[in-house]
Amino acid sequence: MAIRDSKSPNTYWYQSGVTREDRENMNRHRGIIVWFTGLSASGKSTIAHAVEKELHDKGVRTIVLDGDNVRYGLCGDLGFTDCDRSENLRRIGHVAKLFLEAGVVVLTAFISPFEEDRSRARRMLDRPEDWLEVYCSCPIEVCVSRDQKGLYRRALNGEIPYFTGVNSPYEPPQNPDVTVDTSKLSVSESVKRIIEAFEKRAFFF
Ligand code: ADP
């Protein structure tokens, strides 16, 4: 499937009279996309939800876009070939941008194995500070040992085609904003590092 990133014919963007700044002023914090990347079982979902809980408790508006959940509907027609993964992330990038316009903190938890797909999502944004890339770095042996869903075992048995780290590549980010080695840091230590990165960006009004 070709990557689609154009618009439908005869359509025009309707500019809302309520701006992102209006919404952010009401929220008393900025919107931002926190893009987690890392191998399956590296801890993306666990940490994204823990960050969400901490922010929510501080009164911050949040949403987690989680790998499996979006494949129940929005991306349920896609598989895991390189091309389908790119299309998956293209859609996620646009959904995340809509939430950003709503002044929400969007936490995306997808393997997102390819640099090009991650940078395409980042390039769609108007300001560099709208994007915080979090690399959940974790040796694959540790991910395999966690294997809560039995996916690595099945992939290593050849039952799952295109499984990242086994029979599909993972390109680590070259310049992530935050790296958390989840084989060494506890969940709360990782959360702390990520929240600190928020605080450095004058996030709260
Ligand atoms: P992913 O979203 O990257 O596939 P998950 O968050 O679904 O990963 O799964 C990671 C698993 O590893 C969870 O069962 C989590 O409890 C466990 N885990 C153990 N130690 C850590 C840690 N230090 N940080 C994050 N997850 C951890």
Side-chain angles (χ1 to χ4, degrees), residues 42-120:
S42 61
K44 302 178 298 298
S45 294
T46 304
I47 296 169
H49 284 279
V51 170
E52 171 170 63
K53 177 77 179 108
E54 180 143 344
L55 291 173
H56 180 82
D57 289 348
K58 291 183 183 186
V60 174
R61 293 182 197 277
T62 57
I63 183 85
V64 178
L65 301 177
D66 198 289
D68 280 3
N69 295 5
V70 299
R71 285 177 177 272
Y72 273 65
L74 180 67
C75 302
D77 56 325
L78 301 174
F80 291 88
T81 61
D82 292 359
C83 198
D84 277 3
R85 282 174 191 272
S86 289
E87 173 61 11
N88 186 48
L89 294 178
R90 188 190 70 82
R91 293 182 197 177
I92 299 314
H94 281 284
V95 171
K97 194 174 177 200
L98 288 172
F99 276 109
L100 188 65
E101 284 302 312
V104 171
V105 174
V106 192
L107 302 125
T108 70
F110 300 87
I111 297 172
S112 40
F114 302 121
E115 178 59 34
E116 174 52 26
D117 293 328
R118 296 189 297 261
S119 62
R120 186 159 40 103

Side-chain angles (χ1 to χ4, degrees), residues 39-47 146 148-149 182 185-187:
L39 294 172
S40 181
S42 61
K44 302 178 298 298
S45 294
T46 304
I47 296 169
R146 289 174 180 165
Q148 236 190 356
K149 304 168 198 158
T182 65
L185 297 175
S186 68
V187 173

